[in-house]
Amino acid sequence: MNLDAACFIMTASACMGGIMEGKQLTIGILAHVDAGKTTLSESILYLTGAVRKLGRVDHGDAFLDMNRIERERGITVFSKTARFSLGDVDVTLLDTPGHVDFSGEMERVLSVLDYGILVISGADGVQGHTMTLWQLLKLYGIPTFVFVNKMDQPGTERPRIMEELRRSLGDGFVAIGEKKGAMDMPVFENEEELALCSEELMESYLETGSIPVAAVKRGIADCRVFPVSFGSALKMEGVEEFLAVVSAYTTISAYPSEFGARVFKITRDKQGNRLTHMKVTGGSLRSKMVLQGGLEGADLWEEKVEQIRLYSGDSFQMVQEVEAGTVCVVTGLTKTYAGQGLGITGDLGQPALEPALTYQVILPEGAEPVTSLQKLRLLEEENPLLRVVWKEALKEIHVQVMGDLELEILQRTIEERFDLAVSFGQGSLIYKETISKPVIGIGHFEPLRHYAEVHLLLEPGAPGSGLVFDTVCSEDKLARNWQRLILTHLAEKAHVGALIGANITDMKITLLAGRAHVKHTEGGDFRQATYRAVRQGLKKAAAAGHGVLLEPFYRFRLEAPAENVGRAMADMQRLSASCELEAGGRAELVTLVGEGPVSTLGGYQRDVAAYTKGQGRFLTTMAGYMSCHDQEAVIDQRGYLAEEDLENPTGSVFCAHGGAVHVDWMQVDEMAHVESGYRLDSPKEGILATDEGNSRSREGFADEKELEAIFLRTYGKSKRDEALRRAHQSQATRTTAQPENFPTLNRKADHGAASYFIVDGYNVIFAWEELKELASINLDGAREAFLEVMANYQGYRNVGILVVFDGYRVPANPGSRSRYGKVDVVFTKEAETADQYIEKMTYELAKTYKITVVTSDRMVQMAAFGDGAARVSAREFYREVMSVSEEIRTRLKKQILSKNRPFEGKL
C-alpha cells in the first residue's frame, strides 16, 4: 500500500512532557453493534502509524479492546481514546460502544466531539440502533462523516445503500466519488446532489458551475452535508481514501482564551486513582492548577489538578499543560461528574437516553448492604445511566439498566472489582408518573421550634420535557434566599408520584407562596415543607383522577413481504401499538412505521423472523415515555398506598399544644397559614388572582379567633397569655364604624405604657389609591408624601411612629435609620425584609411599649398577635388617617372663625 500517495496522512507524533500544543481535533466513531467500528479504528491507527501491528476483534488483540470482557465478547463495552496525526492536526479518536445496552457510555462522548464517524454495515444497511445514533448526533449537533463498511460482501450495492440512508435518516447524504480532483483532493460523486444540500452550495454551483471546498466545509460543519465513503475496514479497502476525505473537509475550532472544560467520563485506574476525563474548551489547563465547581455556598468546591495524562489505548503520557481542544485525563479531582462544565463552560442537561428496566440486587450471604451500596455507588458515578436505588422500607438495593447484556456485564464487573458474587431478581419496566390537570400542593413543617410552609403549583408539561422549576412568589412575602432554597430542594430529589410511587416527569412546578419564621426557620424545614407540598399536590391529583402513569415506548420500523402485512397490522393492534404504511422503501417489502409500548413489543423481532421466514426486519428505537396502555392494571398489580409511604409523606406537620401533630393531606389546605392568592378556576389560567386571593389580608384584621387558633397551635399556652389578654382588651375597644374610637394608644393610663405604631411602609403605600398612583410615576415622591402624612398624624395623636421600608434588594445595603420630623424611618439592610424587621421590633418593643402594627400582611399580623400587639390593616389605617385629617381641618376652621369673630357668642 502506497502511503506516500495520501498526502493527508502522517505518522503519529510523540507527545513528550511539557505543553501539548498544535491543532486539535476530536472525532468520535459510532455504529450499530457488529458494523465493524472497532475494525475501522484499528485500520485508521495502523495507516497513520499510531500502532505498528494491525489487531483484529475476532483474534482478541485489537488495540482498543483492552478489557478482558471486551476481548471475550468481541464487542466494545467502554469508550476508549486513541491518538494519531492527520497532516498537521493532532486527532483524538474516541471509540464508543455499539450495543444498545451501552448507549449511555456512547452518549457521554458526544458532548466533546468536533466531528463524528457513523459506520454502517453495507450488508445490513440502516439498523435499529443506527437510527438512535443518528437522532443523538442531530440532537448534539455533531457534523458527521459516514463510512459504509463490509462492501466486500455480496449484495452490497452503493445506489441501494444511498437510497436507504436518505429514506431512513433524511437528506444531506452525498457519496464521495472514486475519482480525485486537483492535488488528489477527494471529490463528490455528484455535485448536483451536493448543491441541493444548502442555499449557499446551490448559489455557488449555479454561478460558477462548481462548489468551493470552503463552502463544502461550512455545509458539513452546519450539519447540512454528510459525506458518504465506501470500503472494507477488514481488508483496509477505502480506509485511506476515507481519511483523505476527513482531512480535506474538517475545520479546526476556535476557542476562547478563558479556561473552560467539559467532563465526559469518570473512571479509576488499576491503582484505584480517580480519573476525570475532560476536554479543554477554553484557555489552557496546567498541572497544579486549582479548579472550582459547584453552586454558591456550601456546595462550592476547590481542588488542585495533580496530573494531566494523555491516553492512547491503555498507555498514557504525562504533560504539564494542555491547550484548548485537547482531550485529557486529570487526577486529583474528587467532586467532578460526567456532563459537568468547569470554568466558563456550563453543565449539560439530562441525557437523552435513560434506563428502562429495574432489578433487585441479591447480595451473597454475609454481605453488608450498606457497604455494598457504597461500592455500587462508585459504578454509578462511572456510568450515569446506571441508577442505583436504595429502598429503605424494604432494605433492598435496586439497579436500573438499559438491558440484559448490561446487567450481565455489571454482574461480572462487581465480582471482579469488589469480589461480590451478586445475582439479580426478576426485572420489571421503569414507569413514570405525571398529571393531566394543574393542582396546588401545600406542605407545612412545624414541629416545636421549626417552621416552614410552601405552596406549589404543579402543571402538566409537554411529553419529554422533564421537570421544570420556577417561582412567581413575591420577595416581599418570602425572601430570595428561601426561594432559592426551595427551588434547590425541588431539583435535588427524585420525587415520586401517588399512583405506584414511580418518579415524576413532564411537569412544571412553580413556587406560589411560602412562609418562614424570623427565629425558628432552618434550612431543613423548607426541605420537608417542599417535599410534602409536592406529594400533597400529587395525591390530590391522583384522588381527583388526574394522575397519569407513563411507560416507555418504542418507535418502530417493520419491513415485511406484502403477504405478511395483514398479520403485522393485526399484531400491532393486539399489542396496543399504532402504525401506518410508509411510502417508498424497497420494492419487494412493505414498510410499517409507528409507536408502541416496550412491554408489548419487546421480543417481537423473533415473531417477525418466524412469520416472514427471515425476510422481514423489526427495528426499534426508544421514543420516550407515553401514557400507559393498561394503567389501572399496573396500579392494581403494584398495590401502592401513598399514605403509607413513610419516606415520602403526603401529609404535613403542624404544632398543637406545644407538640408536633401530623395532619392528613386532605386537611392541610384548611390548616395552612399562608394564602397563595392563586385560583385554579381563574379565567386567566396561570395568573395570580391577587386582588381576590389576598382580600382577606387587605381588608381589616384576620379573624380574631382564627389568629388565636393558629397562634395556640404554633406556640401553645405560655407566659404570653397575659399579652394575648391585653391584645383582646385593646381590640374590644375598636370599631371600624366609629373612627373616633380608633385605639390611638396615647392614653398612658392603658397599662401605664407609651404607645408606638410600627408601619409597613410600602404595604401601606400600595394599599392607598392616591399613593399607589403616585408611586407608579415616582416612588420617591410617594414615599415623601406618605411620611408627611405620618408626621401630621404623629403630631396630632401624640404617638410614636416607626415606618419600615424594604431595602433588602439593594446590593451591599447596610440599612439606615433616620427621622422625618418625629417619625422614625428605617430602611432594612440587604437580605432583610420589612416583615422580618417588623416582627423583630414588635417582639422587642412589646415588652416596654403598647404596640400597634399597621400592615395588611396576614402572617405579620399573626406574628404581632403572638407578641401581644394590636393590628390594623392598611385600608383601615387609611380611614383613621382620613378621620384625623378631617378633625384637623375642623379644628383649624373653628380657630380661624374664632379669630375672625372674637365676640361671637358673648353678646
Side-chain angles (χ1 to χ4, degrees), residues 365-386:
E365 187 175 351
E368 177 61 38
V370 175
T371 305
S372 301
L373 179 64
Q374 294 173 348
K375 294 176 179 177
L376 292 179
R377 292 291 186 202
L378 297 178
L379 299 181
E380 182 182 41
E381 180 183 54
E382 297 170 13
N383 179 7
L385 285 192
L386 170 66

Side-chain angles (χ1 to χ4, degrees), residues 17 49 62 165 199 216 223 470 473 535 625 683 758 787 887:
L165 283 172
E199 291 185 7
V216 177
C223 298
D470 196 8
C473 180
R535 285 284 287 174
Y625 276 77
I758 302 178
L787 292 177
E887 287 184 27

Side-chain angles (χ1 to χ4, degrees), residues 310-388:
L310 300 178
Y311 272 85
S312 187
D314 207 17
S315 61
F316 66 87
Q317 293 175 323
M318 286 191 294
V319 295
Q320 295 300 311
E321 184 175 0
V322 291
E323 299 297 321
T326 306
V327 173
C328 62
V329 174
V330 170
T331 65
L333 305 181
T334 64
K335 304 292 187 181
T336 49
Y337 54 86
Q340 184 180 26
L342 300 174
I344 62 172
T345 303
D347 286 3
L348 283 177
Q350 291 298 312
L353 301 175
E354 53 187 328
L357 299 171
T358 181
Y359 294 83
Q360 178 193 350
V361 179
I362 302 175
L363 299 173
E365 187 175 351
E368 177 61 38
V370 175
T371 305
S372 301
L373 179 64
Q374 294 173 348
K375 294 176 179 177
L376 292 179
R377 292 291 186 202
L378 297 178
L379 299 181
E380 182 182 41
E381 180 183 54
E382 297 170 13
N383 179 7
L385 285 192
L386 170 66
R387 311 281 170 79
V388 179

Side-chain angles (χ1 to χ4, degrees), residues 249-299:
Y249 292 113
T250 51
T251 303
I252 304 302
S253 300
Y255 296 96
S257 59
E258 190 175 353
F259 170 74
R262 164 82 63 217
V263 178
F264 66 94
K265 185 177 179 180
I266 303 296
T267 61
R268 285 169 174 79
D269 62 15
K270 295 177 181 178
Q271 289 72 41
N273 297 311
R274 189 178 189 270
L275 307 179
T276 298
H277 299 245
M278 66 173 67
K279 178 181 180 180
V280 181
T281 56
S284 64
L285 177 68
R286 301 179 302 278
S287 180
K288 308 305 179 182
M289 183 174 174
V290 176
L291 301 183
Q292 290 184 339
L295 302 173
E296 293 291 337
D299 294 330

Side-chain angles (χ1 to χ4, degrees), residues 581-879:
L581 288 169
E582 183 182 68
R586 296 161 63 179
E588 67 276 15
L589 298 175
V590 177
T591 303
L592 294 176
V593 294
E595 297 174 339
V598 171
S599 59
T600 61
L601 294 181
Y604 185 65
Q605 171 61 36
R606 292 188 295 269
D607 295 344
V608 172
Y611 69 71
T612 63
K613 298 180 173 59
Q615 299 180 63
R617 292 197 307 172
F618 185 68
L619 310 176
T620 61
T621 60
M622 288 300 299
Y625 276 77
M626 303 182 190
S627 296
C628 183
H629 75 286
D630 57 346
Q631 174 168 318
E632 295 305 322
V634 174
I635 292 175
D636 291 343
Q637 187 267 329
R638 293 296 180 96
Y640 177 76
L641 297 176
E643 294 92 332
E644 296 180 7
D645 187 346
L646 300 181
E647 292 182 52
N648 303 284
T650 57
S652 288
V653 177
F654 286 79
C655 187
H657 307 295
V661 175
H662 178 269
V663 175
D664 188 77
W665 66 272
M666 291 183 291
Q667 300 172 315
V668 172
D669 289 16
E670 301 174 8
M671 301 279 290
H673 293 181
V674 179
E675 173 63 48
S676 71
Y678 190 92
R679 295 291 178 269
L680 290 174
D681 56 356
S682 172
K684 294 183 180 180
E685 186 175 350
I687 302 297
L688 284 172
T690 307
D691 292 337
E692 298 176 8
N694 290 341
S695 61
R696 289 170 57 190
S697 300
R698 294 185 175 188
E699 282 290 351
F701 295 112
D703 180 76
E704 193 76 22
K705 292 183 179 179
E706 180 184 6
L707 283 177
E708 183 176 5
I710 292 173
F711 181 79
L712 290 176
R713 284 201 306 269
T714 306
Y715 303 105
K717 291 186 176 181
S718 67
K719 60 184 180 181
R720 296 191 183 178
D721 285 354
E722 178 59 26
L724 289 174
R725 185 184 62 78
R726 291 201 315 268
H728 283 305
Q729 288 178 346
S730 67
Q731 283 301 110
T733 66
R734 180 185 60 84
T735 168
T736 58
Q738 298 177 341
E740 63 272 18
N741 292 331
F742 184 90
T744 59
L745 303 180
N746 62 339
R747 303 168 193 162
K748 294 186 178 181
D750 288 349
H751 309 288
S755 306
Y756 221 90
F757 275 54
I758 302 178
V759 183
D760 188 341
Y762 288 133
N763 186 284
V764 175
I765 286 175
F766 287 99
W768 293 8
E769 291 301 326
E770 297 90 341
L771 293 178
K772 181 179 179 181
E773 183 176 351
L774 178 58
S776 65
I777 302 171
N778 186 334
L779 183 59
D780 289 339
R783 201 163 45 227
E784 182 80 13
F786 176 62
L787 292 177
E788 184 66 28
V789 172
M790 289 297 95
N792 290 336
Y793 182 82
Q794 185 277 330
Y796 185 76
R797 289 297 194 195
N798 192 28
V799 295
I801 295 181
L802 168 63
V803 180
V804 183
F805 292 107
D806 269 316
Y808 74 100
R809 288 190 241 191
V810 181
N813 170 32
S816 66
R817 181 162 186 160
S818 60
R819 298 271 289 181
Y820 190 97
K822 293 186 178 181
V823 175
D824 292 306
V825 181
V826 169
F827 284 85
T828 63
K829 61 185 178 182
E830 182 184 14
E832 182 182 42
T833 67
D835 294 357
Q836 293 172 325
Y837 188 88
I838 290 170
E839 290 179 22
K840 178 176 67 175
M841 293 304 297
T842 302
Y843 176 72
E844 293 177 0
L845 295 177
K847 301 173 184 177
T848 308
Y849 299 94
K850 187 173 182 182
I851 301 299
T852 297
V853 174
V854 180
T855 182
S856 289
D857 189 309
R858 181 168 177 265
M859 295 310 297
V860 177
Q861 286 187 4
M862 188 189 78
F865 177 80
D867 291 324
R871 290 108 34 238
V872 177
S873 75
R875 290 187 181 181
E876 201 161 23
F877 188 54
Y878 175 79
R879 288 193 287 266

Side-chain angles (χ1 to χ4, degrees), residues 125-155:
V126 176
Q127 299 171 275
H129 191 48
T130 308
M131 291 190 285
T132 300
L133 295 173
W134 186 247
Q135 291 170 4
L136 289 171
L137 287 167
K138 289 172 61 179
L139 178 66
Y140 283 86
I142 308 298
T144 304
F145 295 86
V146 177
F147 184 80
V148 181
N149 195 23
K150 302 185 180 181
M151 289 300 291
D152 57 322
Q153 296 187 10

